[in-house]
């Protein structure tokens, strides 16, 4: 259904010599922290609904439907936003959504839970869409090389955080509040770093590393 609305891709840019790919440290750190912050909703969202809110297994399963609807929305809106305002600024917007998602997960009540699931899905896919756009802005034809680096950072951060969250979950007596609060802190840090990178994209700003 979405295919007719996909934009026509721009012609490929001329490749540059190897060794000229920017390091983009702020993008790497921000995207990695985002991956760490997304671990709680990507792993514990259904359990938060089923046991944390006492809604049962069926409600836990339905939360993945909500998450999936958010993911579809995040994919389309993330790409459209990056086209309009640029990847680095769109990254900030996506991280704001992520912070809101983790914050909602800490609030009581079913409406906040549903909002957390929807926004988590939007952030999980939307952040990836805009991070790719940001890599293309930085590296042009060599964006693939930069994308490999930031994706590796994201994956390592998620793997390490997954083990850490499991340990925290056990140490706190399976406290969902502790898990999602940790994700909220990681998301805030990702937003702070992403905002610094986005600020450097403004005209006349000092170029970020």
């Amino acid at each position: 259904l979405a295919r007719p609305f996909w934009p026509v891709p721009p012609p490929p840019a001329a490749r540059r010599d190897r060794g000229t790919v920017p390091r983009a440290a702020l993008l790497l750190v921000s995207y990695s922290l985002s991956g760490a912050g997304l671990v709680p909703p990507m792993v514990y969202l259904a359990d938060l609904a089923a046991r944390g809110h006492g809604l049962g297994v069926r409600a836990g399963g339905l939360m993945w439907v909500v998450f999936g609807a958010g993911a579809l929305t995040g994919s389309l809106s993330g790409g459209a936003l990056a086209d309009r305002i640029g990847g680095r600024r769109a990254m900030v917007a996506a991280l704001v959504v992520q912070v809101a998602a983790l914050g909602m997960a800490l609030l009581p009540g079913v409406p906040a839970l549903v909002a957390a699931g929807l926004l988590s899905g939007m952030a999980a896919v939307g952040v990836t869409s805009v991070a790719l756009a940001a890599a293309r802005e930085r590296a042009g034809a060599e964006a693939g090389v930069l994308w490999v680096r930031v994706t590796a950072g994201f994956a390592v951060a998620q793997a390490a955080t997954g083990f850490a969250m499991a340990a925290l979950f056990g140490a706190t007596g399976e406290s969902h509040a502790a898990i999602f609060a940790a994700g909220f802190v990681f998301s805030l840090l990702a937003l702070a770093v992403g905002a610094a990178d986005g600020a450097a994209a403004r005209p006349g700003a000092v170029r970020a590393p």
Side-chain angles (χ1 to χ4, degrees):
L1 292 176
R3 178 64 185 92
F5 302 98
W6 289 1
V8 178
R15 293 182 62 86
R16 297 181 292 182
D17 295 335
R18 291 188 179 275
T20 59
V21 180
R23 294 188 304 169
L26 292 180
L27 175 61
L28 172 60
V29 173
S30 178
Y31 192 47
S32 298
L33 287 170
S34 172
L38 285 168
V39 168
M42 294 176 74
V43 178
Y44 296 94
L45 179 64
D47 195 55
L48 174 64
R51 295 195 301 150
H53 287 262
L55 300 176
V57 175
R58 178 173 295 181
L62 289 174
M63 285 308 300
W64 289 124
V65 178
V66 175
F67 185 95
L72 177 60
T73 304
S75 178
L76 297 175
S77 61
L81 186 63
D83 287 340
R84 293 180 65 88
I85 66 174
R88 291 157 76 178
R89 295 179 188 175
M91 182 82 171
V92 175
L95 290 172
V96 168
V97 172
Q98 180 174 329
V99 169
L102 272 296
M104 286 290 181
L106 293 170
L107 299 178
V110 174
L113 174 66
V114 173
L118 184 66
L119 294 176
S120 294
M122 291 180 63
V125 181
V127 168
T128 299
S129 300
V130 297
L132 177 55
R136 287 175 176 166
E137 287 176 2
R138 286 293 187 84
E142 298 294 341
V145 178
L146 181 55
W147 184 239
V148 167
R149 296 174 185 172
V150 298
T151 300
F154 184 93
V156 170
Q158 280 211 322
T161 305
F163 285 107
M165 291 290 183
L168 177 62
F169 198 53
T172 57
E174 299 188 348
S175 169
H176 294 92
I179 292 296
F180 282 88
F184 182 72
V185 171
F186 279 126
S187 300
L188 278 177
L189 292 173
L191 176 58
V193 177
D197 193 35
R202 297 171 187 165
V206 177
R207 184 180 180 84

